[in-house]
Amino acid sequence: MLVHGVLAPALEPPTGYLVWDRVTAAGIWPAGERMAQTILVTGGCGFIGSAVVRRLLANADVAVVNLDAMTYAANPRTDAELTRNPRYRLAKGTICDAAFVRAVVNDCRPAGVVHLAAESHVDRSIDNAAEFLRTNVEGTAVLLDAATAYWRGLGDAARAAFRFVHVSTDEVYGSLGLVGYSAEGAVYEPNSPYAASKAASDHLARAWHRTHGLPTIVTHGSNTYGPYQFPEKLIPLIIVRALRGESLPVYGKGENVRDWLYVEDHAAALTEVLRRGRPGEVYNVGGGNERRNIDVVRAVCAILDELAPDQSGPYGRRIAFVKDRPGHDLRYAVATDKIRAEVGWRPAIAFEAGLPATVAWYLANRAWWEPALAQTDATQRLGLAR
Ligand SMILES: NC(=O)c1ccc[n+]([C@@H]2O[C@H](COP(=O)([O-])OP(=O)(O)OC[C@H]3O[C@@H](n4cnc5c(N)ncnc54)[C@H](O)[C@@H]3O)[C@@H](O)[C@H]2O)c1
């Protein structure tokens, strides 16, 4: 099950793969090459997006067009790997460019959209919220507009089957105490600029459904982890810093609790919602693996002690408690009864299986993350601005 990354050989980009810097008159799919169904994924070279693309491509009747700006968070090696599949195309550009987005949508004629493109790192949103507002809010509106215009022109059957899945986060619900869960419909209380921008985009997805009839569905995923995550987020950051012999920073006392969701489980939830979700509905997606940050970091250290021991001593000795993130939410946890009952999805990967698989992937795939870090050293502290 946990195989795609752990067992994959070291990644080498194939030569001569195509990148659509702009959609040309010839279109994305040359005449005659269109597949039975094309799904448009945005942000498909990011962490969760690439897992969604892999999952969709596992169905031989599905083609994927990935609209991605290839920001620092997108790894060209991920694209190079996906490009080995002839049913995959990258349309490189931003969701904020209305003419480009319209051209991509109209050319690839998707049966559905899974919208993941976003600025996604809370610490960066504390230092500079502008890009979060542009991509997460304005970009989502641009994409919704293009999808609506295209969807209106479809025949009856295609229009009825079309879905626009807007991928959001549990962070929009704000912080919980140590008990209780946020159910769908809970009040939104976003506390970071990132969460506020995602909340705004969720409202847009809802509004386009209510006002224009576009069959949008919103998902609220919990903290996701696994292979192919840019090493600015907690788990890969700790792995990479440990392997580089650096200190292992833990914000505050490390008591913040997150519900960890393995990336394959998150991707499966999104593709199932695309197939079975009801238009206008909202679904929480949670892993059922609540852990304090400090316990996650200690668990990563223990796995590294086994898989890649440091001769000078256990990795845990390098844990360093650092100044907390401003506005750091104590706990997020979502109720997942609705997606289980209506969509039939449930998480399959326990943290005890997913975490070692993740650590093993980073150990086996330095060629994926080392060049990315050479370009942007994202392991340095951000988001202290007040
Ligand atoms: N990572 C998590 O724990 C988590 C949990 C719940 C929900 N989400 C949501 O899932 C989605 C994907 O998250 P992720 O962690 O994979 O993100 P990521 O940062 O790894 O990837 C984001 C992708 O979006 C692309 N992108 C950014 N700005 C763009 C723009 N203007 N136009 C086109 N593409 C652009 C990037 O190039 C990158 O490929 C986001 O919407 C995020 O809010 C993430």
Side-chain angles (χ1 to χ4, degrees):
M1 284 297 291
L2 297 170
V3 288
H4 65 79
V6 177
L7 299 183
L11 305 174
E12 285 303 324
T15 50
Y17 68 93
L18 297 171
V19 172
W20 272 258
D21 282 311
R22 278 284 178 262
V23 176
T24 62
I28 290 175
W29 299 101
E33 264 195 38
R34 236 175 258 280
M35 305 305 296
Q37 268 203 353
T38 297
I39 303 298
L40 176 64
V41 175
T42 70
C45 281
F47 167 46
I48 304 168
S50 66
V52 170
V53 173
R54 276 181 222 104
R55 193 168 185 90
L56 289 168
L57 290 175
N59 181 335
D61 293 329
V62 172
V64 172
V65 169
N66 169 23
L67 197 170
D68 196 307
M70 302 301 288
T71 69
Y72 78 95
N75 192 316
R77 282 176 179 255
T78 300
D79 176 55
E81 191 189 346
L82 295 173
T83 300
R84 290 179 185 147
N85 189 317
R87 289 177 281 115
Y88 167 83
R89 293 286 189 277
L90 173 67
K92 187 178 171 199
T94 171
I95 53 168
C96 301
D97 179 343
F100 173 66
V101 172
R102 267 200 310 273
V104 172
V105 170
N106 292 335
D107 188 70
C108 75
R109 304 198 58 73
V113 177
V114 186
H115 172 38
L116 300 107
E119 288 292 332
S120 68
H121 189 36
V122 173
D123 287 348
R124 286 178 190 268
S125 79
I126 295 170
D127 287 344
N128 181 3
E131 205 48 52
F132 288 71
L133 298 179
R134 230 181 332 269
T135 286
N136 300 4
V137 186
E138 288 176 32
T140 296
V142 166
L143 187 64
L144 285 163
D145 262 345
T148 304
Y150 160 76
W151 168 77
R152 283 198 176 122
L154 291 173
D156 289 349
R159 198 166 60 240
F162 188 84
R163 298 286 180 273
F164 183 114
V165 178
H166 171 72
V167 181
S168 186
T169 162
D170 58 359
E171 301 192 28
V172 297
Y173 294 128
S175 192
L176 294 174
L178 286 176
V179 292
Y181 298 91
S182 305
E184 294 86 353
V187 172
Y188 271 33
E189 291 181 338
N191 290 323
S192 70
Y194 161 68
S197 70
K198 291 299 291 186
S201 66
D202 298 354
H203 294 321
L204 297 180
R206 175 190 162 90
W208 257 250
H209 174 68
R210 299 290 279 235
T211 303
H212 299 296
L214 185 71
T216 63
I217 303 173
V218 177
T219 61
H220 296 289
S222 66
N223 248 49
T224 306
Y225 73 103
Y228 296 94
Q229 187 171 30
F230 190 68
E232 63 183 352
K233 308 281 170 63
L234 182 66
I235 290 175
L237 177 102
I238 294 296
I239 299 169
V240 164
R241 286 188 65 101
L243 294 176
R244 299 202 308 195
E246 297 168 355
S247 67
L248 308 179
V250 173
Y251 293 177
K253 293 181 179 157
E255 283 170 354
N256 310 68
V257 176
R258 301 291 181 262
D259 174 11
W260 293 92
L261 172 64
Y262 194 66
V263 65
E264 296 292 315
D265 277 337
H266 196 160
L270 298 177
T271 54
E272 286 309 292
V273 165
L274 182 69
R275 280 175 59 193
R276 299 180 216 267
R278 282 190 295 138
E281 289 297 326
V282 175
Y283 297 98
N284 286 343
V285 186
N289 292 298
E290 286 191 54
R291 297 284 186 289
R292 296 185 311 163
N293 284 350
I294 182 63
D295 297 328
V296 170
V297 172
R298 286 192 180 125
V300 170
C301 289
I303 295 164
L304 281 170
D305 285 337
E306 272 198 25
L307 297 184
D310 175 355
Q311 300 313 322
S312 47
Y315 287 98
R317 76 189 190 289
R318 288 203 247 115
I319 292 175
F321 294 95
V322 298
K323 193 169 183 315
D324 208 353
R325 169 189 281 167
H328 202 178
D329 287 336
L330 176 66
R331 176 172 169 262
Y332 309 123
V334 285
T336 56
D337 316 64
K338 183 172 172 184
I339 192 170
R340 287 170 190 251
E342 279 191 18
V343 179
W345 172 89
R346 61 188 57 237
I349 313 292
F351 198 62
E352 289 65 29
L355 192 62
T358 304
V359 175
W361 188 87
Y362 281 89
L363 285 169
N365 289 281
R366 280 176 178 266
W368 184 88
W369 55 266
E370 277 176 342
L373 282 182
Q375 296 221 318
T376 317
D377 192 354
T379 63
Q380 303 310 311
R381 182 77 198 258
L382 298 170
L384 276 171
R386 260 287 188 199

